[in-house]
Amino acid sequence: MVENRCFVQREEVYRWFSVLSSAQRAEFFCGLLDLCVPIELRFLGSCLEDLARKDYHSLRDAEIKANNPADLANLTNITDEVVRSKLLVSLALLSSDNRVAAGVLFRTLTHIDTIINNYGLQLNDGQTGEQFLLLFTMASNHPAFSFHQKQVLRQELTQIQEILQVTVGEASSTSHGGGACAAALPNVSATPTFPSYITASTFNSCQAGCPCCKVGSI
């Protein structure tokens, strides 16, 4: 009976996880890792290393660019959807000890206030909001950033979440019946949404098999 109950609960967790947005998945993964003991982390690291090895050659060029400060310095206009897409791939492939490249990304990402105020970037656009949530979730949890940088990025993430919550609240107040419930869950859909904001040009720049471009991957 206990085993059956555990199995059901595990299946429920799998179903719940399958409909999370990429930003929510990343946050959940990092939370789980924080709960693991060192020997568990080493085991998980071995499993991830083996999985990552399969895509090593197809992602090699993208990984070199993601760890080259000169290339990252060209990705400054985050009002551009293509640039945001490339930043997502760069964060995914950034080495954990590359402080210089992380510094370049940090300077780009911390201009969010100016961009929202001066350019009127519409975070309430579903795709744009999802991109920014994922960008700042990944950055605020990435080991290449210093503790202080993570704190600043986490503050920026909180600001973005608050903007989106206000938007959702306004949408809920004008919705009726089932529409209000749908608006209250902007990040959850039956199909993972990550590929919708990895643009075609960025997708084509990665070889087939790139985990950043697969449905439901981070």
Side-chain angles (χ1 to χ4, degrees):
M1 180 65 70
V2 175
E3 291 182 357
N4 290 337
R5 188 182 302 115
C6 292
F7 177 77
V8 172
Q9 291 174 343
R10 185 167 65 247
E11 290 301 310
E12 290 176 351
V13 171
Y14 292 158
R15 285 195 295 271
W16 169 78
F17 183 81
S18 68
V19 298
L20 293 181
S21 68
S22 291
Q24 291 169 327
R25 289 187 178 202
E27 193 73 54
F28 182 67
F29 266 134
C30 292
L32 287 179
L33 292 176
D34 285 339
L35 296 175
C36 292
V37 298
I39 194 68
E40 292 170 337
L41 291 173
R42 293 298 296 271
F43 169 72
L44 292 173
S46 297
C47 294
L48 292 173
E49 183 180 5
D50 179 64
L51 291 172
R53 190 179 297 115
K54 299 175 183 178
D55 300 305
Y56 175 81
H57 293 291
S58 63
L59 293 174
R60 182 57 181 163
D61 290 342
E63 185 176 2
I64 292 174
K65 292 181 179 180
N67 287 276
N68 185 347
D71 286 324
L72 295 176
N74 295 322
L75 303 177
T76 56
N77 181 20
I78 58 177
T79 61
D80 186 339
E81 181 183 353
V82 174
V83 171
R84 293 196 300 270
S85 182
K86 290 181 178 180
L87 286 171
L88 285 170
V89 174
S90 296
L91 277 170
L93 300 177
L94 179 64
S95 297
S96 61
D97 58 351
N98 195 336
R99 300 288 187 183
V100 177
V104 175
L105 290 171
F106 178 76
R107 287 189 290 274
T108 297
L109 294 176
T110 48
H111 289 160
I112 184 68
D113 284 335
T114 302
I115 290 172
I116 292 175
N117 296 329
N118 294 354
Y119 294 90
L121 190 63
Q122 298 298 312
L123 291 181
N124 56 352
D125 170 21
Q127 181 167 306
T128 301
E130 283 291 326
Q131 279 187 322
F132 275 95
L133 283 174
L134 183 55
L135 269 173
F136 283 86
T137 298
M138 292 173 67
S140 62
N141 286 287
H142 201 293
F145 294 90
S146 68
F147 177 76
H148 170 70
Q149 289 172 331
K150 289 181 181 179
Q151 283 187 314
V152 174
L153 292 166
R154 179 61 61 172
Q155 291 172 354
E156 299 282 0
L157 174 60
T158 300
Q159 179 185 352
I160 294 170
Q161 290 171 333
E162 289 174 350
I163 293 173
L164 292 175
Q165 286 173 358
V166 170
T167 303
V168 170
E170 292 174 350
S172 298
S173 64
T174 58
S175 300
H176 301 282
C181 294
L185 294 172
N187 294 329
V188 178
S189 60
T191 303
T193 58
F194 184 76
S196 68
Y197 43 83
I198 287 293
T199 62
S201 59
T202 304
F203 181 90
N204 292 333
S205 69
C206 294
Q207 300 292 332
C210 170
C212 301
C213 304
K214 291 181 180 178
V215 173
S217 66
I218 295 175

